[in-house]
Amino acid sequence: MTTVMNGVASAVQWAAQMLYSWVLVFLLIGMGIYLTIYMRGVQIRHFPNMIRALKGARSIKGQEVSSFQAFAVGLGTRIGIGNIGGVALALIMGGPGAIFWMWIVAAVGMATSFVECVLAQIFKSEVEPGIYRGGPAYYISRALGWKRVAAVSACISVVASGLAVPMVQVNTVASTLGANHGVPTWVTMLIFLVLLAPVILGGMYSVARASEYLTPIMAGVYILVTIAVLALNPAAAAAAFGWIITAAFGPTQVAGGVTGGLFIALVNGARRGLFSNEAGLGTTPNNAGAATVAHPVQQGLVQSLGVFIDTIVVCTATALLILVSGAYHPAMPTQAAGSLTAQAVTSSLGSWMALPMSLMIFVFGYTSAYGAYSHGQVALDHLSRRPTVTLVYRAAAVLAASAGAIVNLPVAWALSDLLLGLGAIINLVAIVVLVRWVRLVLQDWESLKRRGKPLVFNANRYPELRELTQEGVWNGELR
């Protein structure tokens, strides 16, 4: 039996590795390029409008989720352990040039995120007065009529996003606190149990409120740390930028002393970038569809900006911290990735930064854990709105995430990666079929803006689209 289980574990891990390294990387990049062209470079043309959309995204009332809150939940999920250990791993596996390809992936991924989040808004459902749910399961079911496919997509999110991903985040935090400060894993488990319970048991609104302030503050602190390191080492900072550019196209040493070139840098940078910013995976639209906005494009713009902040700002900050500090060297082992960023900060600013860095890692893991849960909750709401089912799921999410501190489940993690990858493929197929509606809605927004009209969407102007949306959701009022 043990031999059989080991064989199954190896097969699952191999399948997940192949799917992520060779299929999804190029599929998502290709999709990003196609959508950038089809949407006429929306992420470039409307970048200033993304900033403006974010400024006006906070106004909301009651238990509704604001545009900014949905943005913060998505950003909190993106800016997690992957922005620290994931970037370090990209450097080790692909060399500094991998960071350049992370930038390119983010640039085209902004278009993908815009499209999937606008779709989540267009085809969202009003589950209670003023309370909305949207995401892949919703637009697959409502706009395409693929009920069974939508159910499969929802089940994947319920298990992988809502239960497995939070366990991974908490496990990484527990390992970091144990290795750096001697904190027992059971103590970390209890801390997360106490902190996650009120947020997750409170539902989507509690998650949104927690993210609204915590995510921007911690991201801002992290950027300030980076600025301090770069200000103290201006020459090294300039050299680091040059190293990133030149290594993207030339040979460089990577993990194990292997000499890699453009392809190695591209694959590793693309892989880490794609699964840091989540563009195209179908996760962030679950939060985007819950927001109350006047026009679907509003949420598409702010969520697209989230990709920029995650990769171009935060991931770049991590890379520069590491390169400027001198902690990175070619051919270093992959096992060093987990502690490389903290080592870079302490070597640049002093050992006193060890505790603040661990605290930042803790908060990043915390926001990612409850943010990932929210993806699963939205998907569950598509399958069932029974209060008992919802309560049991929330309790299971709290227990599973907290238990992540004390258990080691590599097979379960590989299985969740595999499920999320398959869910991404389903999402990308839906995007290709439905993207014409996004272009129509964007043209509507651009027309209103050009004429100086209120940026409020009314589906009644487009009878063919109106038949696919929920009645009353887009009738020219704030939604």
Side-chain angles (χ1 to χ4, degrees):
M1 180 62 71
T2 302
T3 302
V4 173
M5 291 303 295
N6 289 337
V8 171
S10 298
V12 171
Q13 291 170 327
W14 176 85
Q17 176 70 16
M18 293 299 294
L19 178 63
Y20 275 64
S21 295
W22 300 104
V23 179
L24 275 178
V25 164
F26 296 104
L27 190 60
L28 287 166
I29 292 175
M31 179 63 72
I33 294 172
Y34 166 72
L35 293 177
T36 296
I37 296 171
Y38 186 81
M39 299 300 296
R40 299 189 299 118
V42 60
Q43 69 271 46
I44 300 171
R45 294 187 296 116
H46 289 300
F47 188 81
N49 289 318
M50 293 179 187
I51 307 297
R52 297 188 189 101
L54 190 60
K55 288 181 180 178
R58 300 190 77 105
S59 178
I60 207 66
K61 60 183 180 180
Q63 294 286 308
E64 298 171 348
V65 176
S66 74
S67 178
F68 182 83
Q69 287 172 338
F71 161 80
V73 174
L75 188 63
T77 308
R78 287 179 173 125
I79 302 179
I81 304 302
N83 290 76
I84 298 176
V87 173
L89 186 61
L91 281 170
I92 293 172
M93 295 293 293
I99 306 306
F100 175 85
W101 295 110
M102 290 182 74
W103 297 340
I104 300 302
V105 163
V108 298
M110 289 173 71
T112 307
S113 183
F114 175 84
V115 169
E116 63 181 351
C117 291
V118 171
L119 285 174
Q121 274 290 322
I122 295 172
F123 300 108
K124 66 184 179 182
S125 297
E126 188 172 25
V127 295
E128 295 177 25
I131 306 299
Y132 302 94
R133 295 291 182 266
Y138 295 82
Y139 53 73
I140 290 171
S141 176
R142 181 174 296 280
L144 296 175
W146 301 349
K147 306 296 184 182
R148 293 181 180 178
V149 176
V152 170
S153 175
C155 288
I156 287 174
S157 291
V158 167
V159 175
S161 292
L163 299 178
V165 172
M167 291 183 73
V168 176
Q169 299 291 334
V170 174
N171 186 273
T172 304
V173 172
S175 299
T176 300
L177 295 181
N180 295 345
H181 306 285
V183 179
T185 54
W186 66 267
V187 172
T188 304
M189 179 189 71
L190 292 179
I191 292 173
F192 270 97
L193 185 65
V194 170
L195 293 179
L196 286 174
V199 176
I200 291 179
L201 293 177
M204 283 293 294
Y205 184 67
S206 295
V207 170
R209 288 299 303 271
S211 297
E212 183 175 12
Y213 300 101
L214 192 56
T215 298
I217 289 172
M218 291 311 300
V221 170
Y222 190 62
I223 297 303
L224 288 176
V225 170
T226 304
I227 292 173
V229 172
L230 299 184
L232 292 172
N233 304 275
F241 270 109
W243 195 3
I244 289 172
I245 301 299
T246 56
F249 302 96
T252 185
Q253 274 194 311
V254 294
V258 176
T259 299
L262 186 152
F263 185 75
I264 295 296
L266 188 154
V267 169
N268 285 281
R271 180 178 179 183
R272 299 319 313 173
L274 287 168
F275 301 107
S276 171
N277 61 53
E278 300 185 24
L281 297 187
T283 51
T284 306
N286 289 299
N287 298 123
T292 301
V293 293
H295 200 290
V297 168
Q298 154 82 22
Q299 202 58 34
L301 291 173
V302 297
Q303 298 296 165
S304 182
L305 182 63
V307 174
F308 179 88
I309 294 174
D310 171 84
T311 305
I312 305 299
V313 178
V314 179
C315 287
T316 300
T318 300
L320 291 176
L321 279 174
I322 294 171
L323 294 176
V324 167
S325 71
Y328 167 81
H329 60 83
M332 66 191 309
T334 57
Q335 292 85 349
S339 60
L340 187 56
T341 304
Q343 180 185 343
V345 174
T346 54
S347 65
S348 298
L349 299 179
S351 59
W352 66 273
M353 278 297 298
L355 184 58
M357 277 302 297
S358 294
L359 178 60
M360 278 189 273
I361 291 172
F362 179 91
V363 175
F364 285 153
Y366 177 55
T367 57
S368 293
Y370 67 64
Y373 145 76
S374 70
H375 298 157
Q377 180 64 69
V378 170
L380 179 67
D381 288 344
H382 176 77
L383 299 171
S384 173
R385 290 282 297 166
R386 287 182 175 181
T388 303
V389 173
T390 299
L391 181 60
V392 169
Y393 182 67
R394 290 175 180 174
V398 172
L399 294 175
S402 303
I406 60 173
V407 298
N408 185 19
L409 298 173
V411 178
W413 298 341
L415 181 60
S416 70
D417 284 344
L418 185 61
L419 289 173
L420 283 174
L422 295 175
I425 293 174
I426 294 173
N427 182 54
L428 293 176
V429 171
I431 286 175
V432 169
V433 179
L434 296 174
V435 67
R436 64 192 180 100
W437 297 121
V438 179
R439 188 158 70 173
L440 173 68
V441 171
L442 177 59
Q443 289 170 344
D444 178 89
W445 183 87
E446 291 172 336
S447 174
L448 293 172
K449 187 174 181 62
R450 195 164 48 245
R451 292 181 289 138
K453 301 290 186 180
L455 299 177
V456 179
F457 184 63
N458 189 345
N460 293 322
R461 291 195 290 265
Y462 310 100
E464 190 179 354
L465 176 60
R466 183 191 61 199
E467 293 179 2
L468 299 176
T469 60
Q470 186 181 51
E471 185 177 356
V473 170
W474 295 112
N475 59 1
E477 300 177 359
L478 177 63
R479 293 295 176 186

